[in-house]
Amino acid sequence: MAKKPAVKLSVRQEWLRRHEEEGESPPKIAQRDGFDARTVRKQIQLAREERDLTESRQALLRQAMESHHKDLISFSEKLQKEVGRYHVSPSLKADPFWGALREHLPKSPLWKSIDRVDRLSESLKALEQQVDQSFKKAVEGLPTAKYVPKAEGMGIRDGLSSAFKHYCVSGEKLQPPQFRQEGVEPGVIEICYNEWICVVMQDAGGQECKEFLTSLMTEACQWPQWQEIITKRSERDREMEAVNEEILVIRLRRIVPGKCKYCPL
């Protein structure tokens, strides 16, 4: 007796469809198609197992892909926070998802913007150190006998530098320093620019010190660092806007285009 050829995949899948969707029994399918009923039953069971395996693999793959993209989006949010501090640490760049996100988005303007934020931040840091040194040198003209430190680590340069950077960034008109006596011990005054305490000293020399600080800050407005800080801060703000816009797109898409070596497929 001649051996019947093996049942093709397409045939057993069709038998499974007819059995499940049209309600044909294995004997009826066997009679219509010229096969043994036991063969039909076996092939229907095999087709069912193949379908279930395919569906479970697809579900597993879908789950893996969803998790992968969630990880990428989560990393992009972490990246946004770190760039918001104007510096991307070496540890974050060593994170595998740094490379993964770059593989997914190799042509994104995000990377150039991040590099520019880093470079501008380093440049601003150097400029601000120059400002600190300039104030340190300038306040040597203030009679130190009148200066009374309020707390360890706080000095006249701290307040002046902070006030200087505030006016650079905000664009506010430079205001004269103010006396403040509330909350300090009797006979002692604070000389402030807005909330920045520039000096704490004995009341007796306050007017002279105030005039000195007014002259110093007016002079500081002519320092080249003033305009350079304004320009570089403005450039950095623009780059930060670009970074935030790119990351917003990543977050709202929910799926990061492209592929990386960590993709499930």
Side-chain angles (χ1 to χ4, degrees):
M1 184 176 177
K3 186 178 180 181
K4 285 200 172 186
V7 178
K8 294 181 179 179
L9 172 64
S10 59
V11 173
R12 65 172 169 262
Q13 287 176 339
E14 176 62 15
W15 287 352
L16 176 63
R17 186 196 67 78
R18 287 161 59 185
H19 177 61
E20 291 186 341
E21 296 180 11
E22 299 177 10
E24 282 191 70
S25 66
K28 187 174 180 180
I29 293 172
Q31 183 181 14
R32 289 182 62 181
D33 289 23
F35 280 84
D36 183 77
R38 288 176 298 179
T39 298
V40 174
R41 287 193 183 95
K42 182 178 178 180
Q43 292 297 318
I44 287 175
Q45 180 60 31
L46 182 59
R48 186 178 287 116
E49 290 172 356
E50 289 170 343
R51 180 192 63 190
D52 292 345
L53 180 61
T54 298
E55 289 178 350
S56 65
R57 284 175 175 170
Q58 289 174 342
L60 184 62
L61 177 60
R62 188 184 316 94
Q63 189 177 51
M65 289 296 290
E66 287 175 357
S67 296
H68 180 63
H69 285 279
K70 283 180 180 177
D71 288 340
L72 287 170
I73 291 167
S74 177
F75 179 80
S76 74
E77 292 169 350
K78 185 192 298 186
L79 176 60
Q80 185 177 31
K81 289 179 182 177
E82 185 136 344
V83 177
R85 294 192 287 268
Y86 306 122
H87 176 67
V88 177
S89 65
S91 62
L92 192 68
K93 289 184 178 181
D95 190 306
F97 278 104
W98 168 270
L101 195 60
R102 293 201 71 149
E103 283 185 49
H104 273 268
L105 302 168
K107 296 182 180 180
S108 171
L110 175 66
W111 311 112
K112 287 185 178 179
S113 291
I114 289 174
D115 288 342
R116 290 188 190 112
V117 168
D118 263 349
R119 289 198 301 270
L120 288 164
S121 295
E122 286 299 315
S123 180
L124 278 163
K125 183 178 178 181
L127 279 169
E128 289 166 1
Q129 288 174 345
Q130 291 176 25
V131 167
D132 287 339
Q133 290 301 312
S134 297
F135 275 119
K136 180 178 180 180
K137 184 175 181 179
V139 297
E140 291 173 357
L142 183 66
T144 56
K146 297 176 183 177
Y147 174 62
V148 180
K150 186 177 183 183
E152 184 178 352
M154 177 182 175
I156 184 169
R157 294 186 304 281
D158 299 323
L160 284 172
S161 295
S162 296
F164 175 86
K165 285 177 272 189
H166 166 76
Y167 284 113
C168 283
V169 176
S170 69
E172 293 178 18
K173 184 179 179 181
L174 182 64
Q175 301 295 323
Q178 301 295 317
F179 290 138
R180 186 167 67 189
Q181 292 180 290
E182 183 180 356
V184 297
E185 60 188 271
V188 174
I189 60 171
E190 295 174 339
I191 301 180
C192 314
Y193 277 97
N194 290 349
E195 69 266 33
W196 293 282
I197 301 170
C198 296
V199 66
V200 180
M201 61 178 299
Q202 298 296 330
D203 193 8
Q207 188 58 41
E208 181 183 351
C209 182
K210 183 177 177 181
E211 291 171 0
F212 177 88
L213 295 179
T214 300
S215 175
L216 177 57
M217 283 294 278
T218 302
E219 177 188 338
C221 291
Q222 307 305 315
W223 291 349
Q225 295 98 323
W226 180 283
Q227 187 58 50
E228 199 168 355
I229 287 175
I230 293 173
T231 301
K232 289 187 182 295
R233 289 248 182 169
S234 178
E235 290 176 10
R236 189 173 67 179
D237 287 345
R238 287 197 298 272
E239 295 300 339
M240 276 303 305
E241 286 179 9
V243 169
N244 290 333
E245 179 62 30
E246 289 300 312
I247 291 179
L248 179 63
V249 170
I250 292 172
R251 291 172 57 194
L252 295 184
R253 271 181 177 167
R254 303 286 195 277
I255 294 177
V256 184
K259 292 184 68 175
C260 75
K261 63 183 178 182
Y262 303 115
C263 281
L265 277 180

